[in-house]
PDB file of all heavy atoms in Angstrom:
ATOM      1  N   GLY B1324      45.099  15.967  34.003  1.00 96.00           N
ATOM      2  CA  GLY B1324      44.793  15.520  35.355  1.00 96.00           C
ATOM      3  C   GLY B1324      43.493  16.081  35.912  1.00 96.00           C
ATOM      4  O   GLY B1324      42.961  15.543  36.897  1.00 96.00           O
ATOM      5  N   GLN B1325      42.961  17.132  35.305  1.00 97.00           N
ATOM      6  CA  GLN B1325      41.696  17.679  35.776  1.00 97.00           C
ATOM      7  C   GLN B1325      40.541  16.775  35.358  1.00 97.00           C
ATOM      8  O   GLN B1325      40.660  15.979  34.419  1.00 97.00           O
ATOM      9  CB  GLN B1325      41.483  19.099  35.217  1.00 97.00           C
ATOM     10  CG  GLN B1325      42.362  20.148  35.866  1.00 97.00           C
ATOM     11  CD  GLN B1325      42.043  21.551  35.375  1.00 97.00           C
ATOM     12  OE1 GLN B1325      41.815  21.776  34.173  1.00 97.00           O
ATOM     13  NE2 GLN B1325      42.031  22.501  36.292  1.00 97.00           N
ATOM     14  N   SER B1326      39.433  16.926  36.048  1.00 96.00           N
ATOM     15  CA  SER B1326      38.249  16.139  35.713  1.00 96.00           C
ATOM     16  C   SER B1326      37.136  17.060  35.243  1.00 96.00           C
ATOM     17  O   SER B1326      37.142  18.261  35.555  1.00 96.00           O
ATOM     18  CB  SER B1326      37.774  15.332  36.924  1.00 96.00           C
ATOM     19  OG  SER B1326      37.408  16.209  37.973  1.00 96.00           O
ATOM     20  N   MET B1327      36.230  16.497  34.478  1.00 96.00           N
ATOM     21  CA  MET B1327      35.057  17.257  34.076  1.00 96.00           C
ATOM     22  C   MET B1327      33.972  16.314  33.574  1.00 96.00           C
ATOM     23  O   MET B1327      34.257  15.154  33.225  1.00 96.00           O
ATOM     24  CB  MET B1327      35.385  18.277  32.990  1.00 96.00           C
ATOM     25  CG  MET B1327      35.504  17.730  31.603  1.00 96.00           C
ATOM     26  SD  MET B1327      35.334  19.003  30.333  1.00 96.00           S
ATOM     27  CE  MET B1327      33.653  19.545  30.581  1.00 96.00           C
ATOM     28  N   THR B1328      32.760  16.822  33.534  1.00 97.00           N
ATOM     29  CA  THR B1328      31.616  16.064  33.038  1.00 97.00           C
ATOM     30  C   THR B1328      30.974  16.817  31.884  1.00 97.00           C
ATOM     31  O   THR B1328      30.684  18.001  32.001  1.00 97.00           O
ATOM     32  CB  THR B1328      30.581  15.846  34.149  1.00 97.00           C
ATOM     33  OG1 THR B1328      31.187  15.110  35.222  1.00 97.00           O
ATOM     34  CG2 THR B1328      29.394  15.064  33.613  1.00 97.00           C
ATOM     35  N   LEU B1329      30.782  16.103  30.787  1.00 97.00           N
ATOM     36  CA  LEU B1329      30.046  16.642  29.643  1.00 97.00           C
ATOM     37  C   LEU B1329      28.587  16.211  29.786  1.00 97.00           C
ATOM     38  O   LEU B1329      28.295  15.037  30.017  1.00 97.00           O
ATOM     39  CB  LEU B1329      30.606  16.103  28.330  1.00 97.00           C
ATOM     40  CG  LEU B1329      31.867  16.759  27.765  1.00 97.00           C
ATOM     41  CD1 LEU B1329      33.049  16.552  28.680  1.00 97.00           C
ATOM     42  CD2 LEU B1329      32.177  16.196  26.382  1.00 97.00           C
ATOM     43  N   GLN B1330      27.707  17.189  29.630  1.00 97.00           N
ATOM     44  CA  GLN B1330      26.284  16.928  29.821  1.00 97.00           C
ATOM     45  C   GLN B1330      25.584  16.810  28.474  1.00 97.00           C
ATOM     46  O   GLN B1330      25.906  17.511  27.524  1.00 97.00           O
ATOM     47  CB  GLN B1330      25.641  18.057  30.622  1.00 97.00           C
ATOM     48  CG  GLN B1330      26.304  18.361  31.949  1.00 97.00           C
ATOM     49  CD  GLN B1330      26.032  17.306  33.007  1.00 97.00           C
ATOM     50  OE1 GLN B1330      25.257  16.385  32.806  1.00 97.00           O
ATOM     51  NE2 GLN B1330      26.701  17.428  34.141  1.00 97.00           N
ATOM     52  N   CYS B1331      24.608  15.923  28.415  1.00 97.00           N
ATOM     53  CA  CYS B1331      23.798  15.743  27.210  1.00 97.00           C
ATOM     54  C   CYS B1331      22.358  15.499  27.631  1.00 97.00           C
ATOM     55  O   CYS B1331      22.110  14.726  28.573  1.00 97.00           O
ATOM     56  CB  CYS B1331      24.309  14.563  26.395  1.00 97.00           C
ATOM     57  SG  CYS B1331      23.275  14.152  24.972  1.00 97.00           S
ATOM     58  N   ALA B1332      21.441  16.117  26.929  1.00 97.00           N
ATOM     59  CA  ALA B1332      20.019  15.907  27.185  1.00 97.00           C
ATOM     60  C   ALA B1332      19.257  15.901  25.867  1.00 97.00           C
ATOM     61  O   ALA B1332      19.614  16.631  24.939  1.00 97.00           O
ATOM     62  CB  ALA B1332      19.468  16.981  28.118  1.00 97.00           C
ATOM     63  N   GLN B1333      18.204  15.070  25.819  1.00 95.00           N
ATOM     64  CA  GLN B1333      17.338  15.036  24.635  1.00 95.00           C
ATOM     65  C   GLN B1333      15.884  15.105  25.077  1.00 95.00           C
ATOM     66  O   GLN B1333      15.515  14.546  26.096  1.00 95.00           O
ATOM     67  CB  GLN B1333      17.630  13.793  23.769  1.00 95.00           C
ATOM     68  CG  GLN B1333      17.591  12.466  24.506  1.00 95.00           C
ATOM     69  CD  GLN B1333      16.252  11.774  24.543  1.00 95.00           C
ATOM     70  OE1 GLN B1333      15.304  12.191  23.874  1.00 95.00           O
ATOM     71  NE2 GLN B1333      16.155  10.705  25.319  1.00 95.00           N
ATOM     72  N   ASP B1334      15.087  15.793  24.279  1.00 93.00           N
ATOM     73  CA  ASP B1334      13.680  15.971  24.628  1.00 93.00           C
ATOM     74  C   ASP B1334      12.756  15.263  23.633  1.00 93.00           C
ATOM     75  O   ASP B1334      11.601  15.668  23.461  1.00 93.00           O
ATOM     76  CB  ASP B1334      13.341  17.456  24.726  1.00 93.00           C
ATOM     77  CG  ASP B1334      13.571  18.203  23.421  1.00 93.00           C
ATOM     78  OD1 ASP B1334      13.934  17.557  22.406  1.00 93.00           O
ATOM     79  OD2 ASP B1334      13.394  19.436  23.402  1.00 93.00           O
ATOM     80  N   MET B1335      13.268  14.215  22.986  1.00 90.00           N
ATOM     81  CA  MET B1335      12.494  13.499  21.972  1.00 90.00           C
ATOM     82  C   MET B1335      11.979  12.159  22.488  1.00 90.00           C
ATOM     83  O   MET B1335      11.458  11.351  21.705  1.00 90.00           O
ATOM     84  CB  MET B1335      13.368  13.296  20.727  1.00 90.00           C
ATOM     85  CG  MET B1335      13.748  14.617  20.074  1.00 90.00           C
ATOM     86  SD  MET B1335      14.926  14.439  18.727  1.00 90.00           S
ATOM     87  CE  MET B1335      16.446  14.196  19.633  1.00 90.00           C
ATOM     88  N   ASN B1336      12.144  11.906  23.780  1.00 90.00           N
ATOM     89  CA  ASN B1336      11.698  10.665  24.405  1.00 90.00           C
ATOM     90  C   ASN B1336      12.369   9.431  23.779  1.00 90.00           C
ATOM     91  O   ASN B1336      11.762   8.360  23.679  1.00 90.00           O
ATOM     92  CB  ASN B1336      10.167  10.524  24.323  1.00 90.00           C
ATOM     93  CG  ASN B1336       9.631   9.569  25.375  1.00 90.00           C
ATOM     94  OD1 ASN B1336      10.140   9.497  26.490  1.00 90.00           O
ATOM     95  ND2 ASN B1336       8.594   8.830  25.018  1.00 90.00           N
ATOM     96  N   HIS B1337      13.623   9.608  23.371  1.00 90.00           N
ATOM     97  CA  HIS B1337      14.354   8.505  22.753  1.00 90.00           C
ATOM     98  C   HIS B1337      14.876   7.531  23.801  1.00 90.00           C
ATOM     99  O   HIS B1337      15.248   7.925  24.905  1.00 90.00           O
ATOM    100  CB  HIS B1337      15.522   9.043  21.931  1.00 90.00           C
ATOM    101  CG  HIS B1337      15.082   9.660  20.647  1.00 90.00           C
ATOM    102  ND1 HIS B1337      15.958  10.346  19.821  1.00 90.00           N
ATOM    103  CD2 HIS B1337      13.885   9.695  20.033  1.00 90.00           C
ATOM    104  CE1 HIS B1337      15.307  10.761  18.762  1.00 90.00           C
ATOM    105  NE2 HIS B1337      14.036  10.387  18.860  1.00 90.00           N
ATOM    106  N   ASN B1338      14.937   6.259  23.418  1.00 89.00           N
ATOM    107  CA  ASN B1338      15.412   5.241  24.345  1.00 89.00           C
ATOM    108  C   ASN B1338      16.931   5.190  24.441  1.00 89.00           C
ATOM    109  O   ASN B1338      17.497   5.026  25.503  1.00 89.00           O
ATOM    110  CB  ASN B1338      14.907   3.862  23.905  1.00 89.00           C
ATOM    111  CG  ASN B1338      13.399   3.739  24.059  1.00 89.00           C
ATOM    112  OD1 ASN B1338      12.830   4.176  25.053  1.00 89.00           O
ATOM    113  ND2 ASN B1338      12.757   3.162  23.069  1.00 89.00           N
ATOM    114  N   SER B1339      17.606   5.279  23.294  1.00 91.00           N
ATOM    115  CA  SER B1339      19.054   5.052  23.250  1.00 91.00           C
ATOM    116  C   SER B1339      19.810   6.367  23.136  1.00 91.00           C
ATOM    117  O   SER B1339      19.396   7.280  22.423  1.00 91.00           O
ATOM    118  CB  SER B1339      19.416   4.163  22.058  1.00 91.00           C
ATOM    119  OG  SER B1339      18.726   2.932  22.127  1.00 91.00           O
ATOM    120  N   MET B1340      20.957   6.415  23.829  1.00 94.00           N
ATOM    121  CA  MET B1340      21.809   7.599  23.752  1.00 94.00           C
ATOM    122  C   MET B1340      23.262   7.159  23.623  1.00 94.00           C
ATOM    123  O   MET B1340      23.633   6.061  24.046  1.00 94.00           O
ATOM    124  CB  MET B1340      21.610   8.484  24.983  1.00 94.00           C
ATOM    125  CG  MET B1340      20.183   9.042  25.086  1.00 94.00           C
ATOM    126  SD  MET B1340      19.931  10.193  26.436  1.00 94.00           S
ATOM    127  CE  MET B1340      20.820  11.646  25.820  1.00 94.00           C
ATOM    128  N   TYR B1341      24.080   8.038  23.039  1.00 95.00           N
ATOM    129  CA  TYR B1341      25.439   7.673  22.637  1.00 95.00           C
ATOM    130  C   TYR B1341      26.398   8.823  22.888  1.00 95.00           C
ATOM    131  O   TYR B1341      26.008   9.984  22.794  1.00 95.00           O
ATOM    132  CB  TYR B1341      25.479   7.362  21.124  1.00 95.00           C
ATOM    133  CG  TYR B1341      24.451   6.360  20.692  1.00 95.00           C
ATOM    134  CD1 TYR B1341      23.130   6.746  20.466  1.00 95.00           C
ATOM    135  CD2 TYR B1341      24.792   5.021  20.513  1.00 95.00           C
ATOM    136  CE1 TYR B1341      22.176   5.824  20.086  1.00 95.00           C
ATOM    137  CE2 TYR B1341      23.843   4.093  20.130  1.00 95.00           C
ATOM    138  CZ  TYR B1341      22.539   4.498  19.917  1.00 95.00           C
ATOM    139  OH  TYR B1341      21.598   3.588  19.536  1.00 95.00           O
ATOM    140  N   TRP B1342      27.648   8.456  23.133  1.00 97.00           N
ATOM    141  CA  TRP B1342      28.732   9.423  23.142  1.00 97.00           C
ATOM    142  C   TRP B1342      29.786   8.985  22.127  1.00 97.00           C
ATOM    143  O   TRP B1342      30.245   7.839  22.143  1.00 97.00           O
ATOM    144  CB  TRP B1342      29.388   9.538  24.520  1.00 97.00           C
ATOM    145  CG  TRP B1342      28.663  10.442  25.451  1.00 97.00           C
ATOM    146  CD1 TRP B1342      27.881  10.105  26.506  1.00 97.00           C
ATOM    147  CD2 TRP B1342      28.670  11.869  25.407  1.00 97.00           C
ATOM    148  NE1 TRP B1342      27.386  11.218  27.117  1.00 97.00           N
ATOM    149  CE2 TRP B1342      27.856  12.325  26.474  1.00 97.00           C
ATOM    150  CE3 TRP B1342      29.279  12.818  24.578  1.00 97.00           C
ATOM    151  CZ2 TRP B1342      27.647  13.683  26.727  1.00 97.00           C
ATOM    152  CZ3 TRP B1342      29.070  14.160  24.822  1.00 97.00           C
ATOM    153  CH2 TRP B1342      28.262  14.579  25.895  1.00 97.00           C
ATOM    154  N   TYR B1343      30.154   9.928  21.243  1.00 96.00           N
ATOM    155  CA  TYR B1343      31.202   9.713  20.249  1.00 96.00           C
ATOM    156  C   TYR B1343      32.291  10.752  20.450  1.00 96.00           C
ATOM    157  O   TYR B1343      32.037  11.843  20.934  1.00 96.00           O
ATOM    158  CB  TYR B1343      30.671   9.914  18.824  1.00 96.00           C
ATOM    159  CG  TYR B1343      29.656   8.915  18.345  1.00 96.00           C
ATOM    160  CD1 TYR B1343      28.300   9.118  18.552  1.00 96.00           C
ATOM    161  CD2 TYR B1343      30.055   7.783  17.640  1.00 96.00           C
ATOM    162  CE1 TYR B1343      27.371   8.212  18.087  1.00 96.00           C
ATOM    163  CE2 TYR B1343      29.115   6.865  17.166  1.00 96.00           C
ATOM    164  CZ  TYR B1343      27.779   7.091  17.398  1.00 96.00           C
ATOM    165  OH  TYR B1343      26.854   6.194  16.925  1.00 96.00           O
ATOM    166  N   ARG B1344      33.484  10.397  19.961  1.00 96.00           N
ATOM    167  CA  ARG B1344      34.525  11.398  19.814  1.00 96.00           C
ATOM    168  C   ARG B1344      34.939  11.444  18.343  1.00 96.00           C
ATOM    169  O   ARG B1344      34.909  10.419  17.641  1.00 96.00           O
ATOM    170  CB  ARG B1344      35.731  11.122  20.701  1.00 96.00           C
ATOM    171  CG  ARG B1344      36.457   9.824  20.480  1.00 96.00           C
ATOM    172  CD  ARG B1344      37.683   9.715  21.409  1.00 96.00           C
ATOM    173  NE  ARG B1344      38.753  10.623  20.995  1.00 96.00           N
ATOM    174  CZ  ARG B1344      39.878  10.816  21.692  1.00 96.00           C
ATOM    175  NH1 ARG B1344      40.056  10.176  22.850  1.00 96.00           N
ATOM    176  NH2 ARG B1344      40.804  11.639  21.262  1.00 96.00           N
ATOM    177  N   GLN B1345      35.276  12.640  17.900  1.00 95.00           N
ATOM    178  CA  GLN B1345      35.679  12.830  16.507  1.00 95.00           C
ATOM    179  C   GLN B1345      37.069  13.433  16.470  1.00 95.00           C
ATOM    180  O   GLN B1345      37.298  14.519  16.995  1.00 95.00           O
ATOM    181  CB  GLN B1345      34.706  13.731  15.750  1.00 95.00           C
ATOM    182  CG  GLN B1345      35.076  13.861  14.278  1.00 95.00           C
ATOM    183  CD  GLN B1345      34.120  14.729  13.499  1.00 95.00           C
ATOM    184  OE1 GLN B1345      33.419  15.569  14.054  1.00 95.00           O
ATOM    185  NE2 GLN B1345      34.067  14.531  12.191  1.00 95.00           N
ATOM    186  N   ASP B1346      37.988  12.728  15.837  1.00 92.00           N
ATOM    187  CA  ASP B1346      39.352  13.187  15.652  1.00 92.00           C
ATOM    188  C   ASP B1346      39.655  13.259  14.163  1.00 92.00           C
ATOM    189  O   ASP B1346      39.099  12.478  13.383  1.00 92.00           O
ATOM    190  CB  ASP B1346      40.326  12.221  16.339  1.00 92.00           C
ATOM    191  CG  ASP B1346      40.014  12.061  17.815  1.00 92.00           C
ATOM    192  OD1 ASP B1346      40.161  13.048  18.539  1.00 92.00           O
ATOM    193  OD2 ASP B1346      39.586  10.961  18.226  1.00 92.00           O
ATOM    194  N   PRO B1347      40.530  14.156  13.754  1.00 81.00           N
ATOM    195  CA  PRO B1347      40.845  14.304  12.321  1.00 81.00           C
ATOM    196  C   PRO B1347      41.260  12.978  11.693  1.00 81.00           C
ATOM    197  O   PRO B1347      42.132  12.279  12.227  1.00 81.00           O
ATOM    198  CB  PRO B1347      41.998  15.313  12.335  1.00 81.00           C
ATOM    199  CG  PRO B1347      41.810  16.092  13.587  1.00 81.00           C
ATOM    200  CD  PRO B1347      41.262  15.116  14.590  1.00 81.00           C
ATOM    201  N   GLY B1348      40.633  12.639  10.577  1.00 75.00           N
ATOM    202  CA  GLY B1348      40.985  11.420   9.857  1.00 75.00           C
ATOM    203  C   GLY B1348      40.474  10.140  10.470  1.00 75.00           C
ATOM    204  O   GLY B1348      40.737   9.059   9.939  1.00 75.00           O
ATOM    205  N   MET B1349      39.741  10.239  11.576  1.00 77.00           N
ATOM    206  CA  MET B1349      39.293   9.016  12.272  1.00 77.00           C
ATOM    207  C   MET B1349      37.784   8.842  12.224  1.00 77.00           C
ATOM    208  O   MET B1349      37.265   7.852  12.709  1.00 77.00           O
ATOM    209  CB  MET B1349      39.741   9.055  13.740  1.00 77.00           C
ATOM    210  CG  MET B1349      41.226   9.190  13.933  1.00 77.00           C
ATOM    211  SD  MET B1349      42.086   7.692  13.471  1.00 77.00           S
ATOM    212  CE  MET B1349      41.638   6.605  14.813  1.00 77.00           C
ATOM    213  N   GLY B1350      37.071   9.786  11.682  1.00 84.00           N
ATOM    214  CA  GLY B1350      35.618   9.672  11.710  1.00 84.00           C
ATOM    215  C   GLY B1350      35.100   9.801  13.137  1.00 84.00           C
ATOM    216  O   GLY B1350      35.766  10.366  14.009  1.00 84.00           O
ATOM    217  N   LEU B1351      33.929   9.260  13.386  1.00 92.00           N
ATOM    218  CA  LEU B1351      33.333   9.263  14.727  1.00 92.00           C
ATOM    219  C   LEU B1351      33.512   7.878  15.339  1.00 92.00           C
ATOM    220  O   LEU B1351      33.167   6.874  14.725  1.00 92.00           O
ATOM    221  CB  LEU B1351      31.842   9.604  14.660  1.00 92.00           C
ATOM    222  CG  LEU B1351      31.495  11.079  14.582  1.00 92.00           C
ATOM    223  CD1 LEU B1351      31.708  11.613  13.191  1.00 92.00           C
ATOM    224  CD2 LEU B1351      30.067  11.325  15.034  1.00 92.00           C
TER     225      LEU B1351
END
Side-chain angles (χ1 to χ4, degrees):
Chain B
Q1325 287 185 318
S1326 62
M1327 79 161 296
T1328 300
L1329 280 64
Q1330 306 287 354
C1331 174
Q1333 53 90 8
D1334 60 3
M1335 296 173 283
N1336 202 35
H1337 285 172
N1338 292 318
S1339 303
M1340 297 185 73
Y1341 308 81
W1342 277 105
Y1343 293 89
R1344 60 178 288 174
Q1345 183 179 23
D1346 303 294
M1349 302 289 288
L1351 278 78

